[in-house]
Amino acid sequence: MSDTPRAEPPAARPQATPSAGVAVPSREDAASVPRPASLVDERGTLIERLGIAVTHVSAELAVGTMPVAGNTQPFGLLHGGATAALAETLGSYAAVAHAGPGRAAVGIELNATHHRSARAGTVTGTARAVHLGRTLATYEVVVEDEDGRRLCTARLTCMLVDAR
């Protein structure tokens, strides 16, 4: 385990403002729990194909999980592209929450450093705001395995634009 304590995400709050936390239902609960209007339909997207489940979204923090199974490269390790997709998904959701009504977030830069591999289980990504500006939002995304070991550190910058 790393020397740094693993932060637990804050409890979900009802959405009151664009930057307020919003709980996102799990896939199992999605049929019975109404999704917030600010979130998009994930059916048929890469998010669904990778099995990403976003569990918390606010402007400052987004948390989600992804299974390793089905997201590996030919050598049986978690694919770096799948990890990058998890990072971009979480940072983008948080950036949209920061952007607010009538605005959208467009990823303009993503980098990822892969520290160790995973062969099984579920990974958890946590996107924390580094910069929340009027036109740009930047997030550091840490992806950890079930034992809290850091697998990847990514940084995503999104440009905030008017929605079409």
Side-chain angles (χ1 to χ4, degrees), residues 9-24 38-39 54-64 89-100 126-129 132 137-139:
R13 306 178 309 260
Q15 187 170 3
T17 66
S19 64
V22 59
V24 179
S38 63
L39 299 178
V54 180
T55 57
H56 176 86
V57 176
S58 72
E60 298 81 17
L61 179 78
V63 180
T89 297
L90 296 173
S92 294
Y93 268 68
V96 167
H98 171 62
T126 304
R128 292 189 193 317
L132 296 175
T138 301
Y139 294 85

PDB file of all heavy atoms in Angstrom, residues 9-24 38-39 54-64 89-100 126-129 132 137-139:
ATOM      1  N   PRO A   9     -14.733   9.229  -1.154  1.00  0.00           N
ATOM      2  CA  PRO A   9     -15.510  10.299  -1.765  1.00  0.00           C
ATOM      3  C   PRO A   9     -16.551  10.821  -0.781  1.00  0.00           C
ATOM      4  O   PRO A   9     -17.023  10.090   0.084  1.00  0.00           O
ATOM      5  CB  PRO A   9     -16.190   9.621  -2.958  1.00  0.00           C
ATOM      6  CG  PRO A   9     -16.165   8.167  -2.632  1.00  0.00           C
ATOM      7  CD  PRO A   9     -14.974   7.943  -1.756  1.00  0.00           C
ATOM      8  N   PRO A  10     -16.885  12.106  -0.913  1.00  0.00           N
ATOM      9  CA  PRO A  10     -17.897  12.648  -0.023  1.00  0.00           C
ATOM     10  C   PRO A  10     -19.257  12.021  -0.301  1.00  0.00           C
ATOM     11  O   PRO A  10     -19.490  11.496  -1.386  1.00  0.00           O
ATOM     12  CB  PRO A  10     -17.916  14.149  -0.368  1.00  0.00           C
ATOM     13  CG  PRO A  10     -17.369  14.222  -1.749  1.00  0.00           C
ATOM     14  CD  PRO A  10     -16.409  13.071  -1.891  1.00  0.00           C
ATOM     15  N   ALA A  11     -20.126  12.074   0.692  1.00  0.00           N
ATOM     16  CA  ALA A  11     -21.476  11.539   0.512  1.00  0.00           C
ATOM     17  C   ALA A  11     -22.185  12.338  -0.571  1.00  0.00           C
ATOM     18  O   ALA A  11     -22.004  13.543  -0.693  1.00  0.00           O
ATOM     19  CB  ALA A  11     -22.255  11.641   1.824  1.00  0.00           C
ATOM     20  N   ALA A  12     -22.970  11.660  -1.365  1.00  0.00           N
ATOM     21  CA  ALA A  12     -23.688  12.329  -2.447  1.00  0.00           C
ATOM     22  C   ALA A  12     -24.759  13.251  -1.870  1.00  0.00           C
ATOM     23  O   ALA A  12     -25.390  12.944  -0.878  1.00  0.00           O
ATOM     24  CB  ALA A  12     -24.329  11.293  -3.363  1.00  0.00           C
ATOM     25  N   ARG A  13     -24.925  14.405  -2.523  1.00  0.00           N
ATOM     26  CA  ARG A  13     -25.937  15.367  -2.122  1.00  0.00           C
ATOM     27  C   ARG A  13     -26.876  15.580  -3.289  1.00  0.00           C
ATOM     28  O   ARG A  13     -26.475  15.412  -4.427  1.00  0.00           O
ATOM     29  CB  ARG A  13     -25.273  16.708  -1.776  1.00  0.00           C
ATOM     30  CG  ARG A  13     -24.177  16.604  -0.749  1.00  0.00           C
ATOM     31  CD  ARG A  13     -23.536  17.977  -0.498  1.00  0.00           C
ATOM     32  NE  ARG A  13     -23.124  18.668  -1.700  1.00  0.00           N
ATOM     33  CZ  ARG A  13     -21.876  18.702  -2.163  1.00  0.00           C
ATOM     34  NH1 ARG A  13     -20.932  18.057  -1.573  1.00  0.00           N
ATOM     35  NH2 ARG A  13     -21.581  19.387  -3.242  1.00  0.00           N
ATOM     36  N   PRO A  14     -28.099  15.994  -3.047  1.00  0.00           N
ATOM     37  CA  PRO A  14     -28.973  16.312  -4.177  1.00  0.00           C
ATOM     38  C   PRO A  14     -28.396  17.488  -4.956  1.00  0.00           C
ATOM     39  O   PRO A  14     -27.772  18.354  -4.383  1.00  0.00           O
ATOM     40  CB  PRO A  14     -30.304  16.699  -3.517  1.00  0.00           C
ATOM     41  CG  PRO A  14     -30.186  16.336  -2.087  1.00  0.00           C
ATOM     42  CD  PRO A  14     -28.738  16.134  -1.771  1.00  0.00           C
ATOM     43  N   GLN A  15     -28.614  17.519  -6.270  1.00  0.00           N
ATOM     44  CA  GLN A  15     -28.081  18.600  -7.074  1.00  0.00           C
ATOM     45  C   GLN A  15     -28.898  19.858  -6.858  1.00  0.00           C
ATOM     46  O   GLN A  15     -30.075  19.918  -7.128  1.00  0.00           O
ATOM     47  CB  GLN A  15     -28.086  18.223  -8.553  1.00  0.00           C
ATOM     48  CG  GLN A  15     -27.391  19.255  -9.387  1.00  0.00           C
ATOM     49  CD  GLN A  15     -27.182  18.782 -10.798  1.00  0.00           C
ATOM     50  OE1 GLN A  15     -27.606  17.704 -11.179  1.00  0.00           O
ATOM     51  NE2 GLN A  15     -26.536  19.596 -11.597  1.00  0.00           N
ATOM     52  N   ALA A  16     -28.212  20.902  -6.357  1.00  0.00           N
ATOM     53  CA  ALA A  16     -28.860  22.181  -6.123  1.00  0.00           C
ATOM     54  C   ALA A  16     -28.300  23.241  -7.065  1.00  0.00           C
ATOM     55  O   ALA A  16     -28.997  24.150  -7.473  1.00  0.00           O
ATOM     56  CB  ALA A  16     -28.659  22.622  -4.683  1.00  0.00           C
ATOM     57  N   THR A  17     -27.013  23.138  -7.382  1.00  0.00           N
ATOM     58  CA  THR A  17     -26.357  24.057  -8.295  1.00  0.00           C
ATOM     59  C   THR A  17     -25.510  23.223  -9.236  1.00  0.00           C
ATOM     60  O   THR A  17     -25.271  22.053  -8.977  1.00  0.00           O
ATOM     61  CB  THR A  17     -25.447  25.041  -7.525  1.00  0.00           C
ATOM     62  OG1 THR A  17     -24.393  24.277  -6.941  1.00  0.00           O
ATOM     63  CG2 THR A  17     -26.198  25.792  -6.454  1.00  0.00           C
ATOM     64  N   PRO A  18     -24.989  23.817 -10.311  1.00  0.00           N
ATOM     65  CA  PRO A  18     -24.185  23.027 -11.235  1.00  0.00           C
ATOM     66  C   PRO A  18     -22.975  22.363 -10.581  1.00  0.00           C
ATOM     67  O   PRO A  18     -22.524  21.339 -11.033  1.00  0.00           O
ATOM     68  CB  PRO A  18     -23.743  24.053 -12.287  1.00  0.00           C
ATOM     69  CG  PRO A  18     -24.793  25.102 -12.244  1.00  0.00           C
ATOM     70  CD  PRO A  18     -25.250  25.147 -10.805  1.00  0.00           C
ATOM     71  N   SER A  19     -22.421  22.933  -9.516  1.00  0.00           N
ATOM     72  CA  SER A  19     -21.244  22.337  -8.909  1.00  0.00           C
ATOM     73  C   SER A  19     -21.567  21.459  -7.706  1.00  0.00           C
ATOM     74  O   SER A  19     -20.684  20.927  -7.077  1.00  0.00           O
ATOM     75  CB  SER A  19     -20.254  23.436  -8.489  1.00  0.00           C
ATOM     76  OG  SER A  19     -20.834  24.238  -7.491  1.00  0.00           O
ATOM     77  N   ALA A  20     -22.836  21.285  -7.396  1.00  0.00           N
ATOM     78  CA  ALA A  20     -23.195  20.423  -6.270  1.00  0.00           C
ATOM     79  C   ALA A  20     -22.992  18.965  -6.653  1.00  0.00           C
ATOM     80  O   ALA A  20     -23.092  18.608  -7.815  1.00  0.00           O
ATOM     81  CB  ALA A  20     -24.658  20.654  -5.878  1.00  0.00           C
ATOM     82  N   GLY A  21     -22.701  18.117  -5.676  1.00  0.00           N
ATOM     83  CA  GLY A  21     -22.512  16.684  -5.939  1.00  0.00           C
ATOM     84  C   GLY A  21     -23.814  16.056  -6.385  1.00  0.00           C
ATOM     85  O   GLY A  21     -24.886  16.456  -5.957  1.00  0.00           O
ATOM     86  N   VAL A  22     -23.710  15.077  -7.251  1.00  0.00           N
ATOM     87  CA  VAL A  22     -24.895  14.370  -7.708  1.00  0.00           C
ATOM     88  C   VAL A  22     -24.568  12.886  -7.722  1.00  0.00           C
ATOM     89  O   VAL A  22     -23.566  12.475  -8.280  1.00  0.00           O
ATOM     90  CB  VAL A  22     -25.369  14.870  -9.091  1.00  0.00           C
ATOM     91  CG1 VAL A  22     -24.312  14.716 -10.147  1.00  0.00           C
ATOM     92  CG2 VAL A  22     -26.632  14.176  -9.518  1.00  0.00           C
ATOM     93  N   ALA A  23     -25.382  12.107  -7.044  1.00  0.00           N
ATOM     94  CA  ALA A  23     -25.175  10.660  -7.038  1.00  0.00           C
ATOM     95  C   ALA A  23     -25.668  10.094  -8.354  1.00  0.00           C
ATOM     96  O   ALA A  23     -26.721  10.462  -8.848  1.00  0.00           O
ATOM     97  CB  ALA A  23     -25.932  10.025  -5.881  1.00  0.00           C
ATOM     98  N   VAL A  24     -24.889   9.220  -8.939  1.00  0.00           N
ATOM     99  CA  VAL A  24     -25.257   8.580 -10.192  1.00  0.00           C
ATOM    100  C   VAL A  24     -25.593   7.136  -9.872  1.00  0.00           C
ATOM    101  O   VAL A  24     -24.817   6.447  -9.227  1.00  0.00           O
ATOM    102  CB  VAL A  24     -24.089   8.656 -11.198  1.00  0.00           C
ATOM    103  CG1 VAL A  24     -24.451   7.967 -12.493  1.00  0.00           C
ATOM    104  CG2 VAL A  24     -23.712  10.103 -11.458  1.00  0.00           C
ATOM    105  N   SER A  38     -28.729  16.583 -16.131  1.00  0.00           N
ATOM    106  CA  SER A  38     -27.450  17.099 -16.611  1.00  0.00           C
ATOM    107  C   SER A  38     -26.538  15.999 -17.138  1.00  0.00           C
ATOM    108  O   SER A  38     -25.534  16.288 -17.760  1.00  0.00           O
ATOM    109  CB  SER A  38     -26.739  17.846 -15.475  1.00  0.00           C
ATOM    110  OG  SER A  38     -26.449  16.935 -14.422  1.00  0.00           O
ATOM    111  N   LEU A  39     -26.864  14.727 -16.889  1.00  0.00           N
ATOM    112  CA  LEU A  39     -26.018  13.631 -17.357  1.00  0.00           C
ATOM    113  C   LEU A  39     -26.568  13.058 -18.646  1.00  0.00           C
ATOM    114  O   LEU A  39     -27.762  12.997 -18.855  1.00  0.00           O
ATOM    115  CB  LEU A  39     -25.908  12.546 -16.281  1.00  0.00           C
ATOM    116  CG  LEU A  39     -25.293  13.015 -14.970  1.00  0.00           C
ATOM    117  CD1 LEU A  39     -25.287  11.882 -13.967  1.00  0.00           C
ATOM    118  CD2 LEU A  39     -23.891  13.554 -15.186  1.00  0.00           C
ATOM    119  N   VAL A  54     -20.035   5.452 -13.116  1.00  0.00           N
ATOM    120  CA  VAL A  54     -19.731   6.715 -12.449  1.00  0.00           C
ATOM    121  C   VAL A  54     -20.603   6.786 -11.204  1.00  0.00           C
ATOM    122  O   VAL A  54     -21.822   6.663 -11.282  1.00  0.00           O
ATOM    123  CB  VAL A  54     -19.988   7.914 -13.382  1.00  0.00           C
ATOM    124  CG1 VAL A  54     -19.675   9.221 -12.687  1.00  0.00           C
ATOM    125  CG2 VAL A  54     -19.170   7.769 -14.665  1.00  0.00           C
ATOM    126  N   THR A  55     -19.959   6.940 -10.042  1.00  0.00           N
ATOM    127  CA  THR A  55     -20.697   6.880  -8.777  1.00  0.00           C
ATOM    128  C   THR A  55     -20.859   8.225  -8.088  1.00  0.00           C
ATOM    129  O   THR A  55     -21.711   8.370  -7.226  1.00  0.00           O
ATOM    130  CB  THR A  55     -20.001   5.914  -7.799  1.00  0.00           C
ATOM    131  OG1 THR A  55     -18.655   6.338  -7.597  1.00  0.00           O
ATOM    132  CG2 THR A  55     -20.025   4.493  -8.348  1.00  0.00           C
ATOM    133  N   HIS A  56     -20.050   9.207  -8.446  1.00  0.00           N
ATOM    134  CA  HIS A  56     -20.169  10.546  -7.848  1.00  0.00           C
ATOM    135  C   HIS A  56     -19.674  11.571  -8.856  1.00  0.00           C
ATOM    136  O   HIS A  56     -18.656  11.357  -9.509  1.00  0.00           O
ATOM    137  CB  HIS A  56     -19.333  10.669  -6.566  1.00  0.00           C
ATOM    138  CG  HIS A  56     -19.371  12.052  -5.995  1.00  0.00           C
ATOM    139  ND1 HIS A  56     -20.369  12.467  -5.147  1.00  0.00           N
ATOM    140  CD2 HIS A  56     -18.564  13.116  -6.179  1.00  0.00           C
ATOM    141  CE1 HIS A  56     -20.152  13.739  -4.825  1.00  0.00           C
ATOM    142  NE2 HIS A  56     -19.069  14.144  -5.440  1.00  0.00           N
ATOM    143  N   VAL A  57     -20.418  12.677  -8.979  1.00  0.00           N
ATOM    144  CA  VAL A  57     -19.996  13.768  -9.859  1.00  0.00           C
ATOM    145  C   VAL A  57     -20.259  15.093  -9.174  1.00  0.00           C
ATOM    146  O   VAL A  57     -21.374  15.351  -8.702  1.00  0.00           O
ATOM    147  CB  VAL A  57     -20.763  13.748 -11.208  1.00  0.00           C
ATOM    148  CG1 VAL A  57     -20.371  14.959 -12.053  1.00  0.00           C
ATOM    149  CG2 VAL A  57     -20.513  12.467 -11.967  1.00  0.00           C
ATOM    150  N   SER A  58     -19.237  15.926  -9.112  1.00  0.00           N
ATOM    151  CA  SER A  58     -19.376  17.336  -8.754  1.00  0.00           C
ATOM    152  C   SER A  58     -18.310  18.071  -9.536  1.00  0.00           C
ATOM    153  O   SER A  58     -17.452  17.444 -10.170  1.00  0.00           O
ATOM    154  CB  SER A  58     -19.201  17.555  -7.242  1.00  0.00           C
ATOM    155  OG  SER A  58     -17.853  17.389  -6.853  1.00  0.00           O
ATOM    156  N   ALA A  59     -18.315  19.388  -9.501  1.00  0.00           N
ATOM    157  CA  ALA A  59     -17.292  20.147 -10.219  1.00  0.00           C
ATOM    158  C   ALA A  59     -15.907  19.852  -9.674  1.00  0.00           C
ATOM    159  O   ALA A  59     -14.924  19.855 -10.406  1.00  0.00           O
ATOM    160  CB  ALA A  59     -17.589  21.639 -10.118  1.00  0.00           C
ATOM    161  N   GLU A  60     -15.828  19.564  -8.396  1.00  0.00           N
ATOM    162  CA  GLU A  60     -14.536  19.363  -7.751  1.00  0.00           C
ATOM    163  C   GLU A  60     -14.064  17.917  -7.761  1.00  0.00           C
ATOM    164  O   GLU A  60     -12.866  17.665  -7.625  1.00  0.00           O
ATOM    165  CB  GLU A  60     -14.600  19.839  -6.290  1.00  0.00           C
ATOM    166  CG  GLU A  60     -14.892  21.310  -6.120  1.00  0.00           C
ATOM    167  CD  GLU A  60     -16.383  21.660  -6.253  1.00  0.00           C
ATOM    168  OE1 GLU A  60     -17.239  20.741  -6.154  1.00  0.00           O
ATOM    169  OE2 GLU A  60     -16.682  22.844  -6.483  1.00  0.00           O
ATOM    170  N   LEU A  61     -14.987  16.948  -7.905  1.00  0.00           N
ATOM    171  CA  LEU A  61     -14.627  15.547  -7.735  1.00  0.00           C
ATOM    172  C   LEU A  61     -15.568  14.640  -8.522  1.00  0.00           C
ATOM    173  O   LEU A  61     -16.783  14.839  -8.490  1.00  0.00           O
ATOM    174  CB  LEU A  61     -14.719  15.185  -6.248  1.00  0.00           C
ATOM    175  CG  LEU A  61     -14.395  13.754  -5.861  1.00  0.00           C
ATOM    176  CD1 LEU A  61     -12.886  13.549  -5.842  1.00  0.00           C
ATOM    177  CD2 LEU A  61     -14.956  13.452  -4.481  1.00  0.00           C
ATOM    178  N   ALA A  62     -14.994  13.662  -9.200  1.00  0.00           N
ATOM    179  CA  ALA A  62     -15.800  12.616  -9.835  1.00  0.00           C
ATOM    180  C   ALA A  62     -15.131  11.281  -9.521  1.00  0.00           C
ATOM    181  O   ALA A  62     -13.906  11.175  -9.517  1.00  0.00           O
ATOM    182  CB  ALA A  62     -15.890  12.825 -11.340  1.00  0.00           C
ATOM    183  N   VAL A  63     -15.956  10.265  -9.243  1.00  0.00           N
ATOM    184  CA  VAL A  63     -15.461   8.944  -8.880  1.00  0.00           C
ATOM    185  C   VAL A  63     -16.197   7.908  -9.720  1.00  0.00           C
ATOM    186  O   VAL A  63     -17.408   8.035  -9.948  1.00  0.00           O
ATOM    187  CB  VAL A  63     -15.689   8.654  -7.374  1.00  0.00           C
ATOM    188  CG1 VAL A  63     -15.172   7.261  -7.003  1.00  0.00           C
ATOM    189  CG2 VAL A  63     -15.032   9.718  -6.511  1.00  0.00           C
ATOM    190  N   GLY A  64     -15.463   6.897 -10.161  1.00  0.00           N
ATOM    191  CA  GLY A  64     -16.086   5.826 -10.923  1.00  0.00           C
ATOM    192  C   GLY A  64     -15.227   4.582 -10.903  1.00  0.00           C
ATOM    193  O   GLY A  64     -14.053   4.620 -10.523  1.00  0.00           O
ATOM    194  N   THR A  89     -13.335  10.073 -18.954  1.00  0.00           N
ATOM    195  CA  THR A  89     -14.754  10.055 -18.601  1.00  0.00           C
ATOM    196  C   THR A  89     -14.991  10.808 -17.289  1.00  0.00           C
ATOM    197  O   THR A  89     -15.862  11.686 -17.213  1.00  0.00           O
ATOM    198  CB  THR A  89     -15.253   8.603 -18.465  1.00  0.00           C
ATOM    199  OG1 THR A  89     -15.137   7.963 -19.735  1.00  0.00           O
ATOM    200  CG2 THR A  89     -16.691   8.554 -17.978  1.00  0.00           C
ATOM    201  N   LEU A  90     -14.218  10.493 -16.269  1.00  0.00           N
ATOM    202  CA  LEU A  90     -14.436  11.111 -14.956  1.00  0.00           C
ATOM    203  C   LEU A  90     -14.134  12.603 -14.985  1.00  0.00           C
ATOM    204  O   LEU A  90     -14.910  13.416 -14.471  1.00  0.00           O
ATOM    205  CB  LEU A  90     -13.589  10.398 -13.903  1.00  0.00           C
ATOM    206  CG  LEU A  90     -13.964   8.937 -13.672  1.00  0.00           C
ATOM    207  CD1 LEU A  90     -12.962   8.273 -12.734  1.00  0.00           C
ATOM    208  CD2 LEU A  90     -15.383   8.814 -13.141  1.00  0.00           C
ATOM    209  N   GLY A  91     -13.019  12.980 -15.605  1.00  0.00           N
ATOM    210  CA  GLY A  91     -12.687  14.403 -15.693  1.00  0.00           C
ATOM    211  C   GLY A  91     -13.710  15.182 -16.501  1.00  0.00           C
ATOM    212  O   GLY A  91     -14.081  16.306 -16.155  1.00  0.00           O
ATOM    213  N   SER A  92     -14.207  14.570 -17.576  1.00  0.00           N
ATOM    214  CA  SER A  92     -15.200  15.245 -18.413  1.00  0.00           C
ATOM    215  C   SER A  92     -16.522  15.441 -17.682  1.00  0.00           C
ATOM    216  O   SER A  92     -17.149  16.503 -17.785  1.00  0.00           O
ATOM    217  CB  SER A  92     -15.434  14.456 -19.697  1.00  0.00           C
ATOM    218  OG  SER A  92     -14.273  14.456 -20.490  1.00  0.00           O
ATOM    219  N   TYR A  93     -16.962  14.419 -16.934  1.00  0.00           N
ATOM    220  CA  TYR A  93     -18.199  14.567 -16.161  1.00  0.00           C
ATOM    221  C   TYR A  93     -18.062  15.703 -15.149  1.00  0.00           C
ATOM    222  O   TYR A  93     -18.974  16.516 -14.984  1.00  0.00           O
ATOM    223  CB  TYR A  93     -18.548  13.259 -15.446  1.00  0.00           C
ATOM    224  CG  TYR A  93     -19.461  12.344 -16.224  1.00  0.00           C
ATOM    225  CD1 TYR A  93     -19.032  11.716 -17.379  1.00  0.00           C
ATOM    226  CD2 TYR A  93     -20.749  12.095 -15.790  1.00  0.00           C
ATOM    227  CE1 TYR A  93     -19.856  10.876 -18.086  1.00  0.00           C
ATOM    228  CE2 TYR A  93     -21.593  11.250 -16.493  1.00  0.00           C
ATOM    229  CZ  TYR A  93     -21.132  10.648 -17.643  1.00  0.00           C
ATOM    230  OH  TYR A  93     -21.973   9.814 -18.349  1.00  0.00           O
ATOM    231  N   ALA A  94     -16.931  15.765 -14.465  1.00  0.00           N
ATOM    232  CA  ALA A  94     -16.717  16.834 -13.484  1.00  0.00           C
ATOM    233  C   ALA A  94     -16.671  18.194 -14.169  1.00  0.00           C
ATOM    234  O   ALA A  94     -17.241  19.172 -13.674  1.00  0.00           O
ATOM    235  CB  ALA A  94     -15.433  16.572 -12.699  1.00  0.00           C
ATOM    236  N   ALA A  95     -16.017  18.279 -15.336  1.00  0.00           N
ATOM    237  CA  ALA A  95     -15.924  19.539 -16.063  1.00  0.00           C
ATOM    238  C   ALA A  95     -17.300  20.025 -16.517  1.00  0.00           C
ATOM    239  O   ALA A  95     -17.588  21.222 -16.477  1.00  0.00           O
ATOM    240  CB  ALA A  95     -14.982  19.390 -17.256  1.00  0.00           C
ATOM    241  N   VAL A  96     -18.163  19.094 -16.929  1.00  0.00           N
ATOM    242  CA  VAL A  96     -19.530  19.472 -17.312  1.00  0.00           C
ATOM    243  C   VAL A  96     -20.278  20.032 -16.097  1.00  0.00           C
ATOM    244  O   VAL A  96     -21.013  21.015 -16.206  1.00  0.00           O
ATOM    245  CB  VAL A  96     -20.283  18.272 -17.934  1.00  0.00           C
ATOM    246  CG1 VAL A  96     -21.772  18.545 -18.040  1.00  0.00           C
ATOM    247  CG2 VAL A  96     -19.704  17.941 -19.297  1.00  0.00           C
ATOM    248  N   ALA A  97     -20.079  19.415 -14.931  1.00  0.00           N
ATOM    249  CA  ALA A  97     -20.713  19.934 -13.712  1.00  0.00           C
ATOM    250  C   ALA A  97     -20.205  21.342 -13.407  1.00  0.00           C
ATOM    251  O   ALA A  97     -20.967  22.217 -12.995  1.00  0.00           O
ATOM    252  CB  ALA A  97     -20.445  18.999 -12.534  1.00  0.00           C
ATOM    253  N   HIS A  98     -18.916  21.580 -13.630  1.00  0.00           N
ATOM    254  CA  HIS A  98     -18.349  22.916 -13.405  1.00  0.00           C
ATOM    255  C   HIS A  98     -18.854  23.918 -14.442  1.00  0.00           C
ATOM    256  O   HIS A  98     -19.145  25.066 -14.107  1.00  0.00           O
ATOM    257  CB  HIS A  98     -16.820  22.860 -13.441  1.00  0.00           C
ATOM    258  CG  HIS A  98     -16.173  24.208 -13.433  1.00  0.00           C
ATOM    259  ND1 HIS A  98     -16.323  25.088 -12.382  1.00  0.00           N
ATOM    260  CD2 HIS A  98     -15.397  24.834 -14.349  1.00  0.00           C
ATOM    261  CE1 HIS A  98     -15.663  26.196 -12.646  1.00  0.00           C
ATOM    262  NE2 HIS A  98     -15.097  26.067 -13.832  1.00  0.00           N
ATOM    263  N   ALA A  99     -18.979  23.484 -15.684  1.00  0.00           N
ATOM    264  CA  ALA A  99     -19.380  24.391 -16.764  1.00  0.00           C
ATOM    265  C   ALA A  99     -20.751  24.999 -16.505  1.00  0.00           C
ATOM    266  O   ALA A  99     -20.975  26.175 -16.776  1.00  0.00           O
ATOM    267  CB  ALA A  99     -19.376  23.656 -18.105  1.00  0.00           C
ATOM    268  N   GLY A 100     -21.675  24.193 -15.985  1.00  0.00           N
ATOM    269  CA  GLY A 100     -23.001  24.689 -15.660  1.00  0.00           C
ATOM    270  C   GLY A 100     -23.972  24.603 -16.826  1.00  0.00           C
ATOM    271  O   GLY A 100     -23.613  24.178 -17.928  1.00  0.00           O
ATOM    272  N   THR A 126     -10.482   8.441  -9.443  1.00  0.00           N
ATOM    273  CA  THR A 126     -10.926   9.629  -8.721  1.00  0.00           C
ATOM    274  C   THR A 126     -10.342  10.854  -9.409  1.00  0.00           C
ATOM    275  O   THR A 126      -9.118  11.014  -9.466  1.00  0.00           O
ATOM    276  CB  THR A 126     -10.462   9.593  -7.250  1.00  0.00           C
ATOM    277  OG1 THR A 126     -10.942   8.381  -6.648  1.00  0.00           O
ATOM    278  CG2 THR A 126     -10.993  10.791  -6.479  1.00  0.00           C
ATOM    279  N   ALA A 127     -11.208  11.694  -9.961  1.00  0.00           N
ATOM    280  CA  ALA A 127     -10.796  12.934 -10.628  1.00  0.00           C
ATOM    281  C   ALA A 127     -10.971  14.080  -9.654  1.00  0.00           C
ATOM    282  O   ALA A 127     -12.075  14.310  -9.155  1.00  0.00           O
ATOM    283  CB  ALA A 127     -11.639  13.170 -11.880  1.00  0.00           C
ATOM    284  N   ARG A 128      -9.890  14.788  -9.367  1.00  0.00           N
ATOM    285  CA  ARG A 128      -9.923  15.950  -8.476  1.00  0.00           C
ATOM    286  C   ARG A 128      -9.536  17.197  -9.262  1.00  0.00           C
ATOM    287  O   ARG A 128      -8.572  17.187 -10.027  1.00  0.00           O
ATOM    288  CB  ARG A 128      -8.944  15.774  -7.326  1.00  0.00           C
ATOM    289  CG  ARG A 128      -9.295  14.700  -6.362  1.00  0.00           C
ATOM    290  CD  ARG A 128      -8.377  14.745  -5.141  1.00  0.00           C
ATOM    291  NE  ARG A 128      -8.380  13.636  -4.242  1.00  0.00           N
ATOM    292  CZ  ARG A 128      -9.383  12.943  -3.776  1.00  0.00           C
ATOM    293  NH1 ARG A 128     -10.579  13.222  -4.161  1.00  0.00           N
ATOM    294  NH2 ARG A 128      -9.235  11.955  -2.940  1.00  0.00           N
ATOM    295  N   ALA A 129     -10.281  18.254  -9.050  1.00  0.00           N
ATOM    296  CA  ALA A 129     -10.024  19.508  -9.757  1.00  0.00           C
ATOM    297  C   ALA A 129      -8.657  20.065  -9.381  1.00  0.00           C
ATOM    298  O   ALA A 129      -8.293  20.094  -8.205  1.00  0.00           O
ATOM    299  CB  ALA A 129     -11.110  20.528  -9.430  1.00  0.00           C
ATOM    300  N   LEU A 132     -10.206  25.302 -11.917  1.00  0.00           N
ATOM    301  CA  LEU A 132     -11.581  25.496 -12.370  1.00  0.00           C
ATOM    302  C   LEU A 132     -11.738  26.939 -12.819  1.00  0.00           C
ATOM    303  O   LEU A 132     -12.002  27.828 -12.016  1.00  0.00           O
ATOM    304  CB  LEU A 132     -12.581  25.171 -11.241  1.00  0.00           C
ATOM    305  CG  LEU A 132     -12.594  23.723 -10.769  1.00  0.00           C
ATOM    306  CD1 LEU A 132     -13.530  23.549  -9.576  1.00  0.00           C
ATOM    307  CD2 LEU A 132     -12.974  22.794 -11.899  1.00  0.00           C
ATOM    308  N   ALA A 137     -10.930  23.760 -17.487  1.00  0.00           N
ATOM    309  CA  ALA A 137     -10.982  23.013 -16.227  1.00  0.00           C
ATOM    310  C   ALA A 137      -9.975  21.874 -16.360  1.00  0.00           C
ATOM    311  O   ALA A 137      -9.955  21.173 -17.376  1.00  0.00           O
ATOM    312  CB  ALA A 137     -12.379  22.459 -15.967  1.00  0.00           C
ATOM    313  N   THR A 138      -9.135  21.716 -15.332  1.00  0.00           N
ATOM    314  CA  THR A 138      -8.117  20.674 -15.352  1.00  0.00           C
ATOM    315  C   THR A 138      -8.293  19.773 -14.144  1.00  0.00           C
ATOM    316  O   THR A 138      -8.543  20.248 -13.033  1.00  0.00           O
ATOM    317  CB  THR A 138      -6.705  21.293 -15.350  1.00  0.00           C
ATOM    318  OG1 THR A 138      -6.569  22.129 -16.503  1.00  0.00           O
ATOM    319  CG2 THR A 138      -5.624  20.222 -15.383  1.00  0.00           C
ATOM    320  N   TYR A 139      -8.152  18.457 -14.375  1.00  0.00           N
ATOM    321  CA  TYR A 139      -8.337  17.447 -13.333  1.00  0.00           C
ATOM    322  C   TYR A 139      -7.149  16.499 -13.284  1.00  0.00           C
ATOM    323  O   TYR A 139      -6.626  16.106 -14.335  1.00  0.00           O
ATOM    324  CB  TYR A 139      -9.616  16.634 -13.585  1.00  0.00           C
ATOM    325  CG  TYR A 139     -10.845  17.493 -13.447  1.00  0.00           C
ATOM    326  CD1 TYR A 139     -11.306  18.242 -14.514  1.00  0.00           C
ATOM    327  CD2 TYR A 139     -11.500  17.594 -12.223  1.00  0.00           C
ATOM    328  CE1 TYR A 139     -12.405  19.072 -14.376  1.00  0.00           C
ATOM    329  CE2 TYR A 139     -12.600  18.420 -12.086  1.00  0.00           C
ATOM    330  CZ  TYR A 139     -13.045  19.158 -13.162  1.00  0.00           C
ATOM    331  OH  TYR A 139     -14.126  19.988 -13.014  1.00  0.00           O
TER     332      TYR A 139
END
